[in-house]
Amino acid sequence: MEKITIIDFGSQYTQLIARRIRELNVYSEIIPFSNFSKIDSNTKGVILSGGPCSVLDQSSPKINTLNFRGKIPVLGLCYGAQLIAFQDGGRILKSKIREYGRATLNFINNDILMDGVNLESQVWMSHGDTISVISKKSKILASTKDVKIAAFCLENEDTFGLQFHPEVYHTKDGVKILNNFLTKICNCSQNWNMDSFIKNSVSSLQSKIGTEKVLLGLSGGVDSSVAALLLSKAIGENLFCFFINNGLLRKNEFHDVLKSYELIGLNIKGIDSEDVFLDALKGVSDPELKRKIIGNKFVEIFEKEASQIQGVNWLGQGTVYPDVIESVSATGGPSAKIKSHHNVGGLPEKMKLKIIEPLREIFKDEVREVGKNLGLDEKILNRHPFPGPGLAIRIIGDVNKKNLSILREVDHIFIQSLKDSGLYRKVWQAGAMFLPIKTVGVMGDERTYENVVSLRAVTSTDGMTADWAHLPVEFLSNVSNRIINKVKGVNRVVYDISSKPPATIEWE
């Protein structure tokens, strides 16, 4: 199968590059610079990602591009472009001011890579170094007011460099540039889609798992459900599904989820372990420790269940890319860790089961497309994301039955109100947070001193970035009144208007 190989130098945008390539119906594969050895025969082109380092630093991540340049098309982005220029004899300078944000092209050379790109087109810059000189065998393809060498190519070989980021939304003709590289330079056939992903995934799962058995924890969400359908398609009756009540679920969720999976026909067992998890979380307020504890308890229960089923060697998980990139570098590169997810960073270092993650390299909207192609029920397919650690990371501070009970009622009112108002499908994710503070209030003629909850709703396409949902003021007013009137223990409701970045969707 033809593909584009993306060599990762630690950019937070690396998987976004892969996403854009897949959106153009070409399969892409990310390889960390540290694991790169050679280009295989299926690769039609190479993209060098950006990164947080400077090519001028001796310790910065590097590969020798001369080993494959001229033999296969190469496109360097930001750090990748600087690496090409540097190794070709050009000159890189430290920028006096980090160039970050929107810029406008004021010169475009009508080259095949820039074909169809408009003069004065907006591009997105994010770099601390600048390419000041390129070799005599290179030519400039585009410039901005402040960046003379915004794009360049090497003559007599299909090697190109862009100082800006074509993969981000703010580069208006970025998709056009990437499409030129794929179709006019790499000659890709553009025949990869979600059906291809399903076919390749099933084949890969069959090859990796063989006749062994897999345990998979189902949550009722789209990620674990689609992972289950893929695994079921690959290994059939060798998939054993469990749904664990960890005491951190939403109102009526344990029974409702079990019932919903009856329609899918998966082999599922419900396990009520509420006391096990809540006892382990008693007195724990640190969010990272919460995630670790929950991850450990999940594995303990799965390993206990696995011991009762002969031939189980695998633990399946519905990990998706945003989970991965926020927990660790997705490919082992030098990108920064944001937080642990129980699907990724919350597992113990030593465990008896091997991990299988069919959705690890795709985004949430792609997961939904796979689920739709596999015939997943609409109610599950369009359900909002819900964190693996559940309400534990929506309670800021100690987790106990009293606070959980309050938060469940608040969350239920909020989510049901969104559905009743026709707003649920317009929001990417919504939920409530229990804050570790109390405030003075007045109810009737009495003074109250009770809890504060925060409502959180965001819009997004992939979870990597998100904007706070601009819900109608009248809706928020009605929800706030319902919560305060119906949920004993709450006398104040606030609404979170933070976007991601700088905030994350969940508070912990």
Side-chain angles (χ1 to χ4, degrees):
M1 179 176 63
E2 67 178 28
K3 65 181 177 181
I4 295 295
T5 295
I6 301 167
I7 300 177
D8 178 23
F9 292 101
S11 172
Q12 293 286 355
Y13 295 140
T14 299
Q15 188 71 14
L16 188 54
I17 301 170
R19 177 193 171 91
R20 295 289 178 255
I21 301 302
R22 293 197 295 266
E23 287 173 348
L24 292 166
N25 299 117
V26 177
Y27 178 68
S28 58
E29 182 176 272
I30 299 174
I31 300 176
F33 79 94
S34 55
N35 288 0
F36 174 74
S37 56
K38 63 180 181 178
I39 303 297
D40 63 41
S41 59
N42 292 325
T43 299
K44 301 282 285 185
V46 175
I47 294 180
L48 308 178
S49 84
C53 301
S54 169
V55 297
L56 300 176
D57 297 336
Q58 288 190 350
S59 60
S60 64
K62 294 184 181 74
I63 60 171
N64 190 353
T65 62
L66 298 172
N67 289 337
F68 51 86
R69 272 178 28 207
K71 302 174 186 176
I72 191 170
V74 178
L75 175 62
L77 306 180
C78 197
Y79 177 90
Q82 294 166 7
L83 182 63
I84 291 172
F86 183 74
Q87 294 184 344
D88 191 54
R91 188 180 180 192
I92 312 298
L93 294 179
K94 292 277 189 182
S95 299
K96 292 182 180 179
I97 300 175
R98 180 176 175 85
E99 295 165 316
Y100 183 85
R102 297 170 179 83
T104 302
L105 298 179
N106 61 12
F107 165 75
I108 297 176
N109 187 317
N110 189 23
D111 183 89
I112 190 170
L113 182 69
M114 306 299 290
D115 185 30
V117 177
N118 297 316
L119 193 65
E120 299 186 356
S121 180
Q122 176 181 286
V123 297
W124 185 263
M125 296 286 187
S126 179
H127 58 99
D129 291 351
T130 298
I131 303 170
S132 63
V133 178
I134 51 178
S135 68
K136 293 181 179 180
K137 61 180 179 179
S138 302
K139 67 177 180 180
I140 297 175
L141 297 181
S143 305
T144 70
K145 178 182 176 181
D146 298 317
V147 181
K148 181 179 179 181
I149 308 172
F152 68 93
C153 71
L154 275 60
E155 296 179 314
N156 302 318
E157 62 179 83
D158 288 328
T159 299
F160 305 83
L162 301 176
Q163 185 59 80
F164 56 89
H165 289 270
E167 69 274 22
V168 303
Y169 170 78
H170 299 89
T171 297
K172 297 304 182 183
D173 286 325
V175 172
K176 189 176 293 183
I177 294 171
L178 291 173
N179 192 58
N180 287 340
F181 180 69
L182 297 177
T183 61
K184 299 178 180 180
I185 298 170
C186 299
N187 296 314
C188 293
S189 60
Q190 294 183 290
N191 58 6
W192 186 83
N193 51 37
M194 284 299 106
D195 285 333
S196 300
F197 172 79
I198 293 170
K199 181 180 178 181
N200 293 330
S201 294
V202 168
S203 176
S204 175
L205 290 169
Q206 289 172 337
S207 176
K208 184 177 291 187
I209 299 170
T211 59
E212 296 176 336
K213 296 174 182 176
V214 177
L215 288 184
L216 175 68
L218 288 169
S219 67
V222 64
D223 298 340
S224 63
S225 300
V226 174
L229 288 178
L230 269 177
L231 283 164
S232 181
K233 192 175 180 67
I235 63 173
E237 61 184 15
N238 281 339
L239 174 65
F240 294 81
C241 299
F242 295 93
F243 180 52
I244 296 176
N245 179 15
N246 57 7
L248 307 170
L249 303 174
R250 290 170 287 192
K251 187 175 181 179
N252 301 326
E253 191 166 20
F254 184 52
H255 298 290
D256 291 347
V257 166
L258 284 175
K259 185 176 180 180
S260 69
Y261 281 119
E262 293 176 2
L263 300 174
I264 299 179
L266 294 173
N267 176 24
I268 183 169
K269 176 182 177 182
I271 304 171
D272 194 341
S273 301
E274 178 178 5
D275 291 340
V276 173
F277 283 86
L278 295 188
D279 286 346
L281 289 168
K282 191 173 296 182
V284 177
S285 59
D286 179 76
E288 285 294 290
L289 185 54
K290 287 180 186 178
R291 292 175 183 274
K292 297 289 185 182
I293 289 171
I294 293 166
N296 280 328
K297 290 302 174 184
F298 268 117
V299 171
E300 286 178 14
I301 293 168
F302 278 124
E303 289 185 337
K304 180 181 178 181
E305 294 295 331
S307 66
Q308 301 175 32
I309 306 172
Q310 189 174 1
V312 173
N313 293 311
W314 296 90
L315 173 63
Q317 294 204 101
T319 308
V320 296
Y321 182 70
D323 297 338
V324 176
I325 195 62
E326 288 187 346
S327 297
V328 291
S329 169
T331 57
S335 58
K337 171 180 174 177
I338 297 172
K339 62 183 178 182
S340 294
H341 287 261
H342 96 283
N343 282 356
V344 183
L347 296 176
E349 292 182 5
K350 293 182 180 180
M351 55 183 291
K352 298 175 183 177
L353 301 176
K354 296 177 286 185
I355 300 296
I356 190 80
E357 298 169 314
L359 310 177
R360 187 181 176 89
E361 296 296 329
I362 62 176
F363 289 86
K364 178 74 73 172
D365 57 326
E366 294 174 315
V367 173
R368 286 198 169 99
E369 190 176 344
V370 171
K372 185 177 181 180
N373 290 5
L374 291 172
L376 184 61
D377 183 85
E378 285 282 333
K379 291 181 181 179
I380 298 177
L381 191 64
N382 295 311
R383 193 182 188 208
H384 285 179
F386 186 64
L391 298 179
I393 58 167
R394 291 185 176 178
I395 293 177
I396 314 304
D398 293 349
V399 179
N400 56 59
K401 288 189 176 182
K402 181 181 177 181
N403 292 347
L404 283 165
S405 178
I406 292 173
L407 186 57
R408 281 195 188 96
E409 292 301 323
V410 172
D411 178 85
H412 178 71
I413 291 173
F414 184 31
I415 297 301
Q416 192 58 51
S417 297
L418 286 169
K419 292 178 178 178
D420 293 342
S421 302
L423 295 170
Y424 185 80
R425 294 285 295 275
K426 297 179 181 180
V427 171
W428 162 264
Q429 184 172 345
M433 313 295 162
F434 184 96
L435 307 189
I437 55 174
K438 290 187 175 183
T439 63
V440 174
V442 178
M443 289 185 174
D445 295 324
E446 295 184 1
R447 174 187 183 275
T448 64
Y449 189 61
E450 293 181 336
N451 300 288
V452 182
V453 294
S454 174
L455 306 183
R456 176 73 158 147
V458 299
T459 57
S460 181
T461 57
D462 52 32
M464 292 297 290
T465 60
D467 190 17
W468 62 276
H470 295 237
L471 298 176
V473 174
E474 185 177 351
F475 169 82
L476 290 173
S477 176
N478 290 336
V479 170
S480 175
N481 286 337
R482 288 188 63 196
I483 290 171
I484 292 173
N485 289 329
K486 290 181 176 296
V487 184
K488 186 177 181 180
V490 175
N491 69 357
R492 192 177 300 271
V493 177
V494 299
Y495 187 56
D496 183 351
I497 58 170
S498 308
S499 295
K500 176 187 179 181
T504 54
I505 296 175
E506 298 293 342
W507 281 35
E508 289 193 342

